[in-house]
Amino acid sequence: MISLAVATVLLLIHALVCLVLWTLMKLGLLPVRGHMLAVMVLVPLWGPLLVVLLSVRSAVFGDDLKDATLEALRINDDMHRSMLVQGREGDDGVVPLEEALIVNDPGDRRRLMLSMLTEDPDAYLAQLQAAKLNDDVEVAHYAATAVAQISKESDLKLQQLERAFKTDPSAQNLNVYCDYLGTYLASGLAEGRVAQIQRQQYARLLARRCEREDGLALRVRYATALADAGEVDEAEDVAERLVADAPDEQDVWMLCLRLAVLRRDGEMVRRVIDAVDKQYVYLSAENREKLAFWREGEEAR
């Protein structure tokens, strides 16, 4: 009974204090924000005390506290900005991977090589192939070993895809085998006579795909593969049909330019450049650079 009576008295005192504070707030004598009312009412004794302390602090410090807070925020912002600038300035020491393999000291080169081998050698194939010619014997050895392993795995996968296609020459198996063979040839892993045989096979696979599919990009790939395999006459036949079907496509005209260069026919190069100019063919920045290079070469002759 005694504890109940004490609790009742405390609640009455709390209610009285809340009433007094609410009255002062209405009279404008106590600057209390609306969201603090819930704290004042629902937290016995400590709630009103907290409201009073916050109001007193606001009254005493006023705008000085706000200015101090804003100043602290400004300082923090400046610190973060300076950290970001320092981070960008640190990039000045970053060099391309190829340069690091050439100019860095032997210890750095070997650490970089081991990092490439442990992360994902396939993603650094071009760099590994270049590193095979490095003056550092250890780096060259690591690179040659990694390239040989990648080549072995690629040959094995290529054989598996070829067997799957011969067993089931479906469109899906044809496409997978053809696309992987194209990637394999582009990687430069195939060399010499093996590369020539694979280029011819790639052209044959693309010919079969063109029989099943009809797409401009696929036909350009086919003509390019024929040119890579040394079958320039056949590539020119495909290119002529492409020009007739799609005279506004930049890839078609860049193919024609490449065939003209392979022929070492200056007159044909000029005809292709003139045709591109007359047709007002849209060219990407890369293709504009290529065309400008051959245009300057022909003008200089």
Side-chain angles (χ1 to χ4, degrees):
M1 293 295 292
I2 295 176
S3 59
L4 181 60
V6 172
T8 303
V9 172
L10 291 176
L11 286 175
L12 289 173
I13 295 173
H14 173 68
L16 180 61
V17 172
C18 289
L19 180 60
V20 171
L21 294 178
W22 183 79
T23 303
L24 293 175
M25 185 186 69
K26 284 296 184 180
L27 294 175
L29 300 176
L30 187 66
V32 178
R33 295 182 180 180
H35 66 274
M36 293 299 295
L37 291 176
V39 177
M40 183 178 72
V41 174
L42 297 177
V43 182
L45 299 180
W46 291 108
L49 179 61
L50 178 62
V51 170
V52 171
L53 289 176
L54 289 174
S55 300
V56 170
R57 190 186 70 168
S58 178
V60 171
F61 294 101
D63 293 335
D64 292 339
L65 179 62
K66 184 186 295 184
D67 293 340
T69 303
L70 292 175
E71 180 65 17
L73 290 172
R74 186 188 66 77
I75 293 173
N76 285 337
D77 182 65
D78 290 342
M79 290 176 62
H80 281 90
R81 288 176 182 274
S82 64
M83 290 171 63
L84 290 173
V85 170
Q86 291 172 0
R88 287 193 295 268
E89 290 174 350
D91 290 343
D92 292 340
V94 177
V95 297
L97 190 57
E98 294 84 350
E99 291 185 19
L101 288 171
I102 297 173
V103 302
N104 280 20
D105 63 69
D108 290 340
R109 286 200 300 265
R110 292 167 189 174
R111 281 192 294 272
L112 178 60
M113 179 60 59
L114 290 174
S115 175
M116 291 184 341
L117 295 179
T118 54
E119 288 180 8
D120 185 9
D122 290 357
Y124 300 105
L125 179 57
Q127 290 81 7
L128 289 171
Q129 288 177 319
K132 289 194 301 182
L133 305 176
N134 199 279
D135 294 336
D136 191 319
V137 177
E138 191 169 346
V139 169
H141 172 71
Y142 285 149
T145 303
V147 171
Q149 182 62 29
I150 294 172
S151 179
K152 179 180 177 181
E153 293 173 356
S154 299
D155 289 340
L156 179 60
K157 184 173 181 180
L158 200 58
Q159 293 170 12
Q160 293 172 346
L161 293 175
E162 183 179 6
R163 283 196 298 269
F165 172 67
K166 288 181 178 179
T167 304
D168 177 19
S170 63
Q172 181 179 359
N173 286 341
L174 171 62
N175 294 347
V176 173
Y177 178 32
C178 181
D179 290 340
Y180 187 80
L181 181 55
T183 302
Y184 175 77
L185 289 170
S187 69
L189 288 172
E191 298 177 347
R193 179 60 182 166
V194 174
Q196 180 62 20
I197 293 173
Q198 295 290 13
R199 291 191 190 100
Q200 292 171 349
Q201 174 69 352
Y202 182 50
R204 286 193 293 269
L205 293 174
L206 285 170
R208 295 189 65 167
R209 287 185 66 174
C210 287
E211 293 174 359
R212 298 182 177 184
E213 310 171 37
D214 185 19
L216 177 68
L218 184 61
R219 292 163 66 191
V220 171
R221 278 178 64 186
Y222 174 46
T224 303
L226 287 172
D228 291 339
E231 301 175 14
V232 181
D233 292 337
E234 292 80 356
E236 287 179 342
D237 291 339
V238 178
E240 287 179 6
R241 292 193 295 271
L242 285 170
V243 169
D245 295 340
D248 298 329
E249 289 292 333
Q250 60 175 324
D251 291 340
V252 172
W253 287 107
M254 297 311 295
L255 169 64
C256 293
L257 179 62
R258 182 183 179 191
L259 294 174
V261 172
L262 286 176
R263 288 287 194 188
R264 298 183 180 180
D265 188 335
E267 181 61 31
M268 187 182 297
V269 170
R270 280 193 293 272
R271 287 202 301 268
V272 171
I273 294 174
D274 292 342
V276 171
D277 292 337
K278 291 177 182 177
Q279 292 281 352
Y280 298 104
V281 179
Y282 167 79
L283 296 175
S284 65
E286 180 182 0
N287 287 336
R288 284 199 299 271
E289 289 181 4
K290 291 179 181 178
L291 201 69
F293 172 80
W294 290 109
R295 180 183 284 113
E296 291 174 1
E298 286 304 311
E299 291 175 352
R301 292 179 60 178

